[in-house]
Amino acid sequence: MIDRRRLLSLGASAGAALACGPFIRPSYAQAGALKVGLLLPYSGTYAPLGEAITRGLELYVQSQGGKLGGRSISFVKVDDESAPPKATELTTKLIQSEKADVLIGTVHSGVAMAMVKIAREDGIPTIVPNAGADIITRAMCAPNVFRTSFANGQIGRATGDAMIKAGLKKAVTVTWKYAAGEEMVSGFKKSFTAGKGEVVKDITIAFPDVEFQSALAEIASLKPDCVYAFFSGGGALKFIKDYAAANLGIPLWGPGFLTDGVEAAAGPAGDGIKTVLHYVSDLDNAENQAFVKSFEAAYKIPPDVFAVQGWDAGQLLDAGLKAVGGDVAKRKELNVAMAAASFASPRGPFKLSAAHNPVQNFYLRELKGGKSVNLGLAAPAVADEAIGCKLS
């Protein structure tokens, strides 16, 4: 059972930090619940991510007494199964059959790109709480499409900056050969080489293969100062264990998803891995302390970055709805208000770029004893380049 007083206290903290514009005195005259369509994975490999996003979002709504912008909220949940071929049908179902007022989704970038294509055509206010495909807030950017997570290249650039600051100069990259890996590596190379670093080799492995021995042998022969790796989930865990077993003596770095979710399972093999991400659970700010306490009280587990992205999807929607007095039919005004929103997030200060992607701090973390420990700010207020976006 969620402690209502704790939730209301947390909501008051978030609300006090909220500043968005333009602000219209709410009339709250809209009748009935506002219907929020959730297109997220609730089965399969990414189901834990979809559940974490949902929990963060629902927790924020509960902290506001079950209402955003004076409107009670009704969720319609659709399992996208992380299946791009089904994305068009399921998005259309939420918009046309379920009559969703707002769309929130998803995790898989392939699903998200199909969803955003329809959302752009329909004009429905849409918030992406995870999928990091660069194109969503680049060439596919739109007045009604917002992201509360990250762009893949943005994380790569922040990690490259941190590695240069650490004095590293000669790197090898290794990732699966698919869009997310390629974008993470591309962003990394951009900042690492700008800082006079050299990437001596890009190693790619067919997705989702987890046979890493040939890649590790090649790394050993190249003798770089460091390795930048992007894998996730079970593949990341296998890579971490194989890397440790190879005993290369070469520092391993990567975006936070290399270790998130597999910290405990990695055990001693993960000790010393450094990653960069826009959230770490021990951030020392009032919003995060309250958020962690409330989330653990509600769900009996600590929150992760996906829960934070869901929470902030709620904050962003709340900012827009307050500005239009809960009248979601005022789509243009709602979009303008969300674009201008600025608030305190568990991750730190939150605002959006002109392309509607977060401008956010990235933190340096080190895996120690099965937990990511915050080593401080890696790169402040990083914005994605928004190449091809015509909103600005």
Side-chain angles (χ1 to χ4, degrees):
M1 178 65 70
I2 299 173
D3 187 318
R4 179 174 174 79
R5 285 179 297 177
R6 184 180 289 111
L7 280 169
L8 292 176
S9 174
L10 180 56
S13 173
L18 183 63
C20 65
F23 185 80
I24 302 170
R25 183 178 298 277
S27 64
Y28 303 148
Q30 305 306 305
L34 185 141
K35 188 176 289 188
V36 176
L38 299 183
L39 186 65
L40 289 164
Y42 293 113
S43 62
T45 300
Y46 290 147
L49 282 60
E51 185 63 29
I53 290 166
T54 302
R55 285 175 166 177
L57 174 60
E58 290 180 335
L59 189 68
Y60 181 77
V61 173
Q62 291 174 52
S63 78
Q64 302 300 303
K67 296 183 177 182
L68 300 182
R71 297 284 299 278
S72 59
I73 301 298
S74 171
F75 292 111
V76 180
K77 301 175 184 178
V78 170
D79 181 6
D80 68 21
E81 302 175 38
S82 296
K86 297 183 178 181
T88 298
E89 175 190 350
L90 296 178
T91 303
T92 301
K93 174 185 176 182
L94 279 170
I95 295 173
Q96 296 186 1
S97 301
E98 299 292 348
K99 306 296 183 184
D101 298 301
V102 175
L103 185 61
I104 296 179
T106 184
V107 169
H108 190 292
S109 286
V111 177
M113 286 188 286
M115 178 197 75
V116 167
K117 182 178 184 295
I118 295 172
R120 281 161 49 98
E121 295 168 355
D122 180 84
I124 185 172
T126 299
I127 299 174
V128 179
N130 188 73
D134 288 342
I135 196 172
I136 290 173
T137 49
R138 293 188 181 184
M140 290 184 75
C141 72
N144 63 306
V145 176
F146 305 85
R147 181 151 52 190
T148 60
S149 53
F150 55 89
N152 290 329
Q154 182 185 27
I155 297 180
R157 285 174 49 224
T159 309
D161 286 341
M163 292 171 71
I164 288 294
K165 289 177 184 176
L168 301 168
K169 291 295 183 182
K170 185 179 177 183
V172 168
T173 73
V174 56
T175 186
W176 279 315
K177 187 173 179 60
Y178 73 142
E182 291 168 355
E183 289 178 350
M184 293 275 187
V185 167
S186 176
F188 161 72
K189 290 173 68 175
K190 194 159 199 171
S191 59
F192 191 73
T193 56
K196 308 303 181 185
E198 178 189 4
V199 177
V200 296
K201 180 81 175 187
D202 293 318
I203 300 173
T204 57
I205 297 164
F207 179 81
D209 288 355
V210 292
E211 294 303 321
F212 301 119
Q213 294 308 315
S214 62
L216 294 171
E218 189 169 9
I219 291 168
S221 69
L222 292 166
K223 297 182 173 61
D225 296 337
C226 56
V227 171
Y228 172 88
F230 171 67
F231 298 99
S232 60
L237 179 60
K238 176 72 160 44
F239 181 80
I240 289 169
K241 290 189 171 183
D242 287 357
Y243 194 91
N247 198 27
L248 300 176
I250 301 170
L252 178 58
W253 288 66
F257 301 113
L258 177 65
T259 58
D260 275 32
V262 300
E263 299 96 333
D271 285 349
I273 297 174
K274 290 183 178 177
T275 61
V276 172
L277 200 62
H278 51 288
Y279 179 69
V280 59
S281 61
D282 61 355
L283 281 176
D284 187 16
N285 65 61
E287 291 73 26
N288 186 53
Q289 291 170 356
F291 172 71
V292 170
K293 185 177 181 180
S294 184
F295 193 94
E296 290 180 342
Y299 304 116
K300 312 307 178 189
I301 58 172
D304 57 18
V305 67
F306 306 105
V308 171
Q309 292 166 178
W311 171 271
D312 286 340
Q315 290 218 70
L316 183 61
L317 179 57
D318 198 17
L321 290 172
K322 284 177 177 174
V324 297
D327 186 356
V328 76
K330 296 179 179 178
R331 285 183 169 181
K332 182 177 180 180
E333 295 87 345
L334 178 68
N335 292 338
V336 168
M338 287 200 290
S342 175
F343 51 77
S345 162
R347 75 183 83 179
F350 183 100
K351 66 177 181 179
L352 294 171
S353 69
H356 300 171
N357 191 74
V359 179
Q360 56 194 336
N361 295 336
F362 283 85
Y363 305 96
L364 178 60
R365 306 111 49 86
E366 183 175 358
L367 196 55
K368 295 181 180 179
K371 182 179 180 182
S372 287
V373 177
N374 181 20
L375 299 183
L377 192 62
V382 178
D384 186 56
E385 297 170 296
I387 297 167
C389 179
K390 299 179 180 179
L391 288 179
S392 58

